[in-house]
Amino acid sequence: MPNNKVRTRYAPSPTGFMHVGNLRTALYEYLIAKSMGGDFILRIEDTDRERLVSGAIDIIYNTLKTVGLKYDEGPDIGGEYGPYVQSERKDLYKPMAEKLVKEGKAYYCFCTKERLNSIHSEKSSNGEFSSGYDRHCRDLSQEEIDSLLSAKVPYVIRQKMPLKGSTTFEDAVYGSITVENSEIEDQILIKADGYPTYNFANVIDDHDMHITHVVRGCEYLSSTPKYNLLYDAFGWEKPIYIHLPLIAGKNADGTISKLSKRHGATGFEDLVGMGYLPGAIVNYIALLGWCPKENKEIFTLKELTNAFSIDGISKSPAVFDYDKLNWFNAEYIRAMSLEEFTQIAVPYFKSVIKKELDWTKLAEILHQRVTVLNQIPEMIGFFEELPEYDSDLFINKKSKTTVENSKVMLNSAIEALEKLPEWTHDSIHNCLIDLAQRLEVKNGTVMWPVRIAASGMTVTPGGAIEILEILGKTESLKRLNIGLSKLA
Ligand code: GLU
C-alpha cells in the first residue's frame, strides 16, 4: 500500500453541467496531488440514481481533458483500486454496512416514508431543533427485526451515532471544528433501493482507494463529523480534510451570495461558449480561494503546480468577478500568436460574415482589442453590411471635421483611391496621408470621414486604412460614395 504517497480524488456526481465551483475543486485536488508528487484520481459518484443526468459524465471527461487535469486513475483508464464508478461498486457497500449492524454500530430501519414525513412536520411545527430521524428503530428487539426482515418489509440501514459527547476534527483550512454528537443524525448508509448514500460510499471509497487528502467545498464541513464517526466505527485512519471556501457572486445591492445563474454564466461550458479561453478560466479560478506567495497572477497549469500550497487556501468566500475574468481572458488572447487567434476567431467571423474576406487581416485588427470572443460578431457586423447611420457621425471635434469639410474629404479621397493601381495597406495609407498634406489638413480630418463612411460607426476595430483594406477597393469606394450622398 502506497501509504506515504499523496492521493487525492475528484468525486463528481454526474448531475448536470460543470459549475465553476466543481472545476475549482477538481483543480485544487489536482494541484495538491501534483505539487506533492502524488496521484490524482477521478471517481464518479452516481449512487443518487434519481439525480443522474444523461451526458453529465461526458461533460466531466471533456472538461478535465480540455483544461489538462490529467488523472492517474479513473473510470475510463482504470487503475489499481477500481472500479471508479460507484454504481459499479454497488455490491461492495452493503456487506460493509451489515458488518456494522453485526457489531451494533448500525441498525435496520423500517420506517415508512409517511412516518418520516410526519415526524419532520411535527418537529418543524413545534419549532424544535431537528436532527432528522427520531431513532425510532434504533432499539428494536432482535425478534422484531427478524420478523420484519422475513416479511420483506423494505428497510434502510442507519448508523448508530453516539448520543453523548462531541466530535472534533481538524480541517487544514478552517481549523478545529467541534459538533455535539446529539445533533448528528443517525444517517442512512444503505438506502431502500440497496444503493449506498453518498455519505457512506464516499467514506468506503476514500478508504479503499487510499485517499490521503479529501478536498471539497465548505458545504461539506458540517457532514465531516459523520464521516469521521464512520472511520471510527471501522477503525480506519482518517484523511486530511481540506474544505474550500464558498464561491460567491456579487448581487445588485452590493451584498454577496452563493454564485448562481443570476450572477452570470457559472458553467465551464457556458463560459467557453461565450468565448472565454479554457486556460484563462482555469487561471482565474485557481485564484478563487488560493493566494500565491509571489506577486503574480498569470499562471500556466505547470506553474500553478509548482506554486500551489495548502496554506495559501483561504477560508473567506471568494467573489467571482466577471470583470476580472475578462481581464484574464484578454491577457490570454493577447498572448496568443496571430495564427492561433485567427483559428479560434474564424468561427465567430463566419457567424456574421458570409462573403470572402481576408480572415488573417480581420484577426489582426481584433487581436489586441477583443476581451471575450463573443464580442466579435458585434464588432465586425459592419463588414458584412453597412449599417444605417446618420450624417451627424461625420462631425467630430477632435478630428476637426464638419459636414462641409467631410464632403470635401470624401470627394477627394474617392478620387485619389480610385486611381490606386494596387489595394494594400501601404498604398491606401500613402494615398490618404498625401491627400491630407495636399489639402493642408491634419490626417484625422481625412481619416475620420473615410472611416465613418466605410463602417457607419464611430467606434470600430481598426482605423480607416485597415477597414478599407479588408473591405476591398470596390466595396470601399461604394461605401465612400454612399457617405458622400448622405452629406449632399
Ligand atoms: N459527489 C460529491 C459532489 O459532487 C463529492 C463531494 C466530495 O468531494 O466528497 O458534490
Side-chain angles (χ1 to χ4, degrees):
M1 172 172 134
N3 54 5
N4 48 14
K5 190 166 197 187
V6 169
R7 286 172 60 84
T8 63
R9 88 297 190 273
Y10 174 49
S13 303
T15 53
F17 71 122
M18 177 73 84
H19 188 277
V20 289
N22 293 340
L23 184 58
R24 184 194 59 178
T25 302
L27 175 64
Y28 283 23
E29 310 239 17
Y30 173 90
L31 294 174
I32 288 168
K34 295 300 156 189
S35 63
M36 295 193 276
D39 286 337
F40 169 60
I41 289 119
L42 173 65
R43 180 174 77 222
I44 302 292
E45 303 207 321
D46 59 349
T47 61
D48 193 347
R49 309 305 288 172
E50 283 160 23
R51 289 181 59 224
L52 297 188
V53 170
S54 77
I57 294 195
D58 288 332
I59 294 181
I60 294 166
Y61 288 145
N62 292 341
T63 308
L64 296 181
K65 202 164 160 199
T66 306
V67 300
L69 298 186
K70 200 165 169 285
Y71 37 91
D72 301 288
E73 296 162 34
D76 52 340
I77 56 170
E80 205 180 332
Y81 304 101
Y84 294 89
V85 178
Q86 285 185 331
S87 56
E88 292 170 24
R89 303 170 65 79
K90 186 186 171 210
D91 296 339
L92 186 142
Y93 306 107
K94 200 168 171 199
M96 298 300 289
E98 280 165 343
K99 181 172 178 281
L100 293 182
V101 174
K102 277 205 194 83
E103 292 171 2
K105 295 168 180 165
Y107 60 93
Y108 296 107
C109 167
F110 301 92
C111 289
T112 58
K113 259 204 180 106
E114 292 69 37
R115 177 167 190 280
L116 294 176
N117 288 341
S118 75
I119 58 168
H120 285 308
S121 50
E122 255 172 50
K123 288 211 167 177
S124 45
S125 65
N126 67 20
E128 200 182 312
F129 169 73
S130 162
S131 64
Y133 182 57
D134 64 357
R135 305 188 164 110
H136 178 262
C137 294
R138 183 166 163 136
D139 298 310
L140 296 181
S141 70
Q142 194 55 47
E143 260 177 2
E144 280 172 293
I145 297 168
D146 290 343
S147 90
L148 287 162
L149 284 178
S150 60
K152 302 229 172 319
V153 175
Y155 63 84
V156 300
I157 298 181
R158 290 184 185 270
Q159 189 184 357
K160 242 184 219 178
M161 295 301 186
L163 301 176
K164 288 203 228 63
S166 59
T167 301
T168 298
F169 74 98
E170 278 304 313
D171 182 83
V173 176
Y174 288 82
S176 177
I177 294 188
T178 300
V179 175
E180 291 305 314
N181 290 336
S182 58
E183 287 179 12
I184 304 177
E185 184 181 24
D186 281 359
Q187 63 176 333
I188 298 177
L189 306 179
I190 301 291
K191 294 179 279 187
D193 63 5
Y195 275 93
T197 54
Y198 158 73
N199 285 346
F200 189 50
N202 93 86
V203 169
I204 304 288
D205 289 348
D206 285 343
H207 171 76
D208 279 2
M209 295 178 181
H210 303 288
I211 301 304
T212 58
H213 295 63
V214 167
V215 185
R216 54 186 160 218
C218 57
E219 66 273 22
Y220 288 97
L221 260 181
S222 61
S223 304
T224 304
K226 294 188 196 175
Y227 307 144
N228 279 346
L229 289 167
L230 269 174
Y231 281 97
D232 288 343
F234 285 114
W236 294 337
E237 196 186 324
K238 299 177 190 83
I240 293 170
Y241 290 106
I242 301 164
H243 285 89
L244 306 181
L246 181 78
I247 298 185
K250 211 183 212 140
N251 302 320
D253 63 1
T255 58
I256 60 166
S257 57
K258 191 174 181 210
L259 182 70
S260 71
K261 287 232 159 105
R262 73 196 155 97
H263 297 115
T266 57
F268 173 75
E269 286 205 325
D270 293 339
L271 290 170
V272 172
M274 287 166 67
Y276 289 97
L277 304 179
I281 300 172
V282 169
N283 193 155
Y284 177 53
I285 66 172
L287 301 172
L288 277 180
W290 169 74
C291 184
K293 292 198 173 75
E294 55 185 320
N295 186 12
K296 159 175 163 143
E297 288 188 294
I298 302 288
F299 287 90
T300 62
L301 189 57
K302 186 110 213 344
E303 288 167 340
L304 282 174
T305 307
N306 293 333
F308 202 84
S309 73
I310 297 170
D311 57 14
I313 302 175
S314 140
K315 56 183 163 195
S316 34
V319 178
F320 195 94
D321 178 349
Y322 289 89
D323 291 335
K324 188 78 192 178
L325 177 61
N326 288 348
W327 179 83
F328 273 96
N329 208 54
E331 290 290 309
Y332 272 74
I333 289 177
R334 307 292 173 263
M336 290 175 128
S337 68
L338 180 61
E339 289 68 38
E340 288 169 320
F341 177 68
T342 308
Q343 212 178 2
I344 58 162
V346 162
Y348 291 88
F349 295 167
K350 288 189 172 166
S351 72
V352 274
I353 298 182
K354 306 297 170 205
K355 55 191 174 195
E356 287 286 312
L357 287 188
D358 185 332
W359 296 144
T360 309
K361 291 224 156 67
L362 192 54
E364 223 168 314
I365 62 168
L366 291 162
H367 191 192
Q368 301 304 316
R369 294 182 169 89
V370 170
T371 303
V372 186
L373 300 173
N374 71 350
Q375 299 168 330
I376 292 178
E378 204 189 329
M379 291 169 91
I380 63 170
F382 70 87
F383 281 105
E384 175 70 5
E385 198 181 288
L386 180 66
E388 265 309 316
Y389 67 97
D390 202 89
S391 60
D392 284 356
L393 297 197
F394 286 105
I395 307 168
N396 183 264
K397 218 169 171 186
K398 199 166 154 240
S399 306
K400 294 198 166 39
T401 55
T402 59
V403 166
E404 287 67 38
N405 71 6
S406 290
K407 221 185 303 178
V408 178
M409 297 303 135
L410 281 187
N411 226 334
S412 328
I414 293 168
E415 219 172 87
L417 290 166
E418 259 171 354
K419 290 196 199 110
L420 280 185
E422 49 162 19
W423 197 256
T424 62
H425 184 276
D426 286 351
S427 68
I428 301 166
H429 172 267
N430 295 342
C431 171
L432 295 179
I433 299 294
D434 285 352
L435 182 64
Q437 274 175 8
R438 263 194 286 128
L439 298 176
E440 294 180 350
V441 294
K442 45 189 257 179
N443 293 344
T445 312
V446 174
M447 299 301 179
W448 181 272
V450 169
R451 191 168 62 83
I452 295 295
S455 67
M457 317 217 306
T458 50
V459 180
T460 54
I465 300 160
E466 288 88 0
I467 294 171
L468 293 189
E469 187 194 6
I470 294 171
L471 283 173
K473 189 171 181 178
T474 316
E475 179 67 17
S476 297
L477 289 169
K478 186 175 136 200
R479 291 187 180 198
L480 297 193
N481 277 303
I482 294 173
L484 192 57
S485 64
K486 278 189 192 281
L487 292 166

